[in-house]
Amino acid sequence: MQLKVKDFDLKKTIECGQFFRYELIDGKYYLAHRDNLLVVEQQKDKLIFKGATEKFIKSFFRLNDPYKEIISTISTDKHMNQAVEKSFGLRIIRQDPWECLISYICSQNSNIPRIRKKVNCIAKTFGKKTSLGSFQNYTFPNPGELNNFEKIKTCKVGYRAKYIHKANNINEHELMDLRKKDYNEAMKYLQNLFGVGEKVADCVCMFSLDKLNAFPVDVWIKRVMQELYFNNKIVSNKQIKELANNKFGKYAAYANQFLYFSRRKLV
DNA sequence: CGTCAGGTAGCCA
DNA sequence: TGGCTACCTGAC
């Protein structure tokens, strides 16, 4: 199946570090996410895919987000103009909240290759084998299925094993319902989970709960924000989030991704 | 070896 | 609130 796309760059979107279970083979991206296994490739303005419906693709890659409006909303200065220029076409992936939560718990104090190893290992250890043509991968386990603490530890997640084991008891219905709640309520719920602080909660909000006003502050965002907007002064995460909120408003999440991408020069 | 990497809990002022 | 440190692990 195929689909015409505008203002979309598949490579940037997948490789920018927001999404962890994929493989690039012969120019095609094989994606595994929760129970889905799909293959996608982009040829200019054409998106060719298998293993998913058009509806899923549009929702997953947020192809219906008003890209031009988002960019004009956040492009209030030359810094953001430059960031947008470098990362144009990058979209926020709309992930499954549960897999997203576990993935970002794994992300603490880890670089991208290590996060990918951990998340893939959890799928391999607890998920079911699945295939698309000759490509094989694993589903992501459901809440309740990560109940073996020793097995979790074999995935090299270190001290995060106890967080994952505890998160396993989550009520998935409640988690999904956070999509309908506002940002503050979602943050409160998430930060109540053991091992989930402000950064991880913000990531789950922005990558899976449709909270486009979220603005996760990690070390990279902190560096770039201090450079661009605080004259290289060391400031608190709270100050950074306040500024982002005022400056980028309801699309702060996109500003966050553009700044992160352009700073790290990924892809 | 030490340091660092997309943080958080627990503790203290 | 804000500041501090231990913490699993693997790459350099």
Side-chain angles (χ1 to χ4, degrees):
Chain A
M1 292 178 54
Q2 49 177 276
L3 180 62
K4 279 243 178 192
V5 287
K6 232 180 85 184
D7 309 326
F8 180 65
D9 187 313
L10 181 67
K11 184 178 172 65
K12 287 177 186 170
T13 298
I14 291 177
E15 295 187 15
C16 72
Q18 60 177 322
F19 185 76
F20 305 108
R21 295 207 294 136
Y22 73 88
E23 281 179 53
L24 178 60
I25 305 169
D26 295 332
K28 297 175 185 172
Y29 289 96
Y30 289 80
L31 314 183
H33 195 57
R34 205 57 196 272
D35 289 338
N36 304 290
L37 192 55
L38 53 146
V39 54
V40 198
E41 79 180 290
Q42 180 168 23
Q43 292 175 3
K44 293 181 184 167
D45 64 345
K46 215 165 58 180
L47 207 58
I48 303 159
F49 58 94
K50 229 174 12 183
T53 62
E54 185 173 316
K55 191 179 162 197
F56 179 89
I57 295 287
K58 281 183 174 166
S59 157
F60 191 65
F61 292 121
R62 289 191 163 279
L63 296 175
N64 291 328
D65 279 3
Y67 210 68
K68 289 279 185 325
E69 180 198 324
I70 289 167
I71 285 173
S72 66
T73 303
I74 63 176
S75 299
T76 53
D77 59 54
K78 63 174 193 292
H79 303 308
M80 190 50 66
N81 284 336
Q82 279 173 14
V84 167
E85 206 175 307
K86 281 188 196 169
S87 42
F88 191 85
L90 172 61
R91 301 233 176 196
I92 290 171
I93 290 182
R94 188 173 194 260
Q95 300 186 31
D96 170 78
W98 161 247
E99 181 164 346
C100 186
L101 172 66
I102 298 301
S103 301
Y104 280 89
I105 286 175
C106 289
S107 80
Q108 313 180 171
N109 254 340
S110 303
N111 54 26
I112 292 166
R114 273 200 60 211
I115 302 166
R116 294 185 60 194
K117 266 185 201 156
K118 289 185 263 191
V119 178
N120 279 299
C121 183
I122 289 172
K124 188 170 181 177
T125 307
F126 294 94
K128 290 186 276 292
K129 214 172 208 173
T130 162
S131 61
L132 181 68
S134 60
F135 181 73
Q136 300 226 340
N137 211 290
Y138 298 87
T139 64
F140 196 78
N142 298 312
E145 294 177 347
L146 293 172
N147 53 6
N148 187 327
F149 184 71
E150 292 307 317
K151 258 173 134 180
I152 294 171
K153 280 217 200 148
T154 64
C155 294
K156 308 288 182 193
V157 294
Y159 64 86
R160 305 156 197 86
K162 54 185 182 288
Y163 304 155
I164 294 167
H165 192 237
K166 201 75 187 285
N168 180 52
N169 296 322
I170 204 166
N171 179 334
E172 191 175 11
H173 188 68
E174 280 177 12
L175 182 64
M176 290 301 290
D177 263 3
L178 296 179
R179 281 185 167 161
K180 297 182 211 130
K181 305 276 169 73
D182 71 16
Y183 170 73
N184 289 321
E185 202 164 333
M187 285 294 283
K188 209 168 102 187
Y189 183 94
L190 293 168
Q191 286 187 261
N192 238 3
L193 301 170
F194 184 45
V196 177
E198 192 170 22
K199 156 68 169 62
V200 170
D202 258 321
C203 284
V204 174
C205 275
M206 108 170 186
F207 293 125
S208 77
L209 297 178
D210 300 329
K211 307 295 179 264
L212 296 185
N213 57 331
F215 196 85
V217 181
D218 59 41
V219 292
W220 294 96
I221 286 294
K222 188 162 184 150
R223 259 171 231 163
V224 66
M225 288 294 282
Q226 284 172 173
E227 271 176 33
L228 300 181
Y229 297 113
F230 293 93
N231 198 18
N232 264 321
K233 221 172 59 194
I234 292 175
V235 293
S236 68
N237 290 5
K238 196 179 162 193
Q239 283 174 279
I240 291 173
K241 285 183 72 161
E242 268 167 18
L243 185 137
N245 199 17
N246 294 333
K247 210 168 174 53
F248 310 125
K250 63 176 179 173
Y251 295 130
Y254 270 98
N256 186 291
Q257 281 304 88
F258 291 150
L259 288 170
Y260 182 76
F261 182 93
S262 58
R263 171 57 191 249
R264 299 212 55 187
K265 298 188 186 72
L266 295 158
V267 181

